[in-house]
Amino acid sequence: MEHPIRIMVPAAALLVGGLLTGCGGPEPLPEVTGGARPTATPPTTAAAGAEATAAASGARLGGPGTACALPVSFALAEEWEPEAIKDPEDPEFAALTRQGPATVRCEVDAKPAGHVGYLRVWTTAGKGSARAALEGFVTAEKETSAVSYRETKAGALSATEVSYTVHNKLMEESKEERAFAVATPKGTVIVHLGGLDTEEHRAMLPAYELARTTLKVG
């Protein structure tokens, strides 16, 4: 029987933490983190990386016929592989599929592109501001610090973005995280970039920026 949650990261990469299925059902995994306090990525560098990534890809996620049915669509980085989360509303798996007000809908694996990390797309039900949803999402994450919100654009839409660190007490290390949120007629969408450590996070920023700059409703 297929379990409701799948992740495409191999066993060696499961130290990233997150969602897993197997014969015994999904279980939360310890999170291994590394890196340093987040620093701002120069906009020109991120934009240049996103443009190069866009030129190499051309695939989109979220529209009709794509791997994940989402309220938005955006361009995928080359070789990043998306997969829909199965039965995300099942209360039995709420600890894995919910974070604050958000439910995870899709995971895009960076391993085929040579990185240990992922983009995850989350949605919230009902009306409300993108910032409120994003704040609830981050607040639900444990051991966060250096949280910084800013108003930005996702495609032509107004968006709120956050960067922060997540600390792992066991490893006594922290890593950078980043996410943006947009309000749509079907609720707020949150796109989150996670990875093994800060080095991987920064290496994957062009794919994240590609998603943000090419995003549109529907």
Side-chain angles (χ1 to χ4, degrees):
M1 176 179 177
E2 185 176 26
H3 291 285
I5 306 169
R6 295 185 63 194
I7 187 169
M8 293 173 282
V9 179
L14 290 176
L15 292 174
V16 175
L19 310 179
L20 174 66
T21 58
C23 295
E27 298 178 0
L29 296 170
E31 183 178 31
V32 175
T33 59
R37 184 184 182 90
T39 57
T41 300
T44 53
T45 301
E51 290 175 2
T53 304
S57 179
R60 290 188 69 86
L61 177 67
T66 64
C68 302
L70 303 169
V72 301
S73 65
F74 54 83
L76 282 177
E78 186 177 20
E79 296 184 6
W80 285 54
E81 294 186 353
E83 185 169 0
I85 303 301
K86 305 298 188 295
D87 300 325
E89 303 290 352
D90 190 335
E92 182 179 354
F93 304 106
L96 296 176
T97 61
R98 296 294 301 270
Q99 183 168 317
T103 302
V104 65
R105 303 292 176 179
C106 188
E107 182 170 89
V108 190
D109 183 19
K111 180 181 64 65
H115 301 293
V116 183
Y118 47 80
L119 279 173
R120 283 185 181 145
V121 184
W122 305 69
T123 64
T124 69
K127 297 181 179 180
S129 71
R131 175 153 186 154
L134 192 58
E135 287 177 346
F137 178 81
V138 174
T139 299
E141 179 71 80
K142 296 180 179 180
E143 299 297 327
T144 59
S145 62
V147 181
S148 176
Y149 292 94
R150 55 199 163 273
E151 300 309 308
T152 184
K153 289 284 188 180
L157 303 177
S158 296
T160 300
E161 186 175 38
V162 64
S163 58
Y164 56 100
T165 63
V166 177
H167 183 71
N168 186 296
K169 287 184 176 180
L170 180 63
M171 302 301 297
E172 297 185 350
E173 295 178 335
S174 296
K175 66 171 182 175
E176 296 177 9
E177 300 277 332
R178 191 170 303 200
F180 70 85
V182 295
T184 81
K186 296 182 179 180
T188 296
V189 175
I190 298 172
V191 179
H192 170 251
L193 177 65
L196 177 65
D197 52 29
T198 292
E199 182 179 0
E200 287 284 9
H201 172 84
R202 293 177 179 177
M204 295 185 294
L205 282 175
Y208 167 89
E209 286 298 317
L210 177 63
R212 185 182 65 80
T213 57
T214 61
L215 184 137
K216 64 181 181 180
V217 174

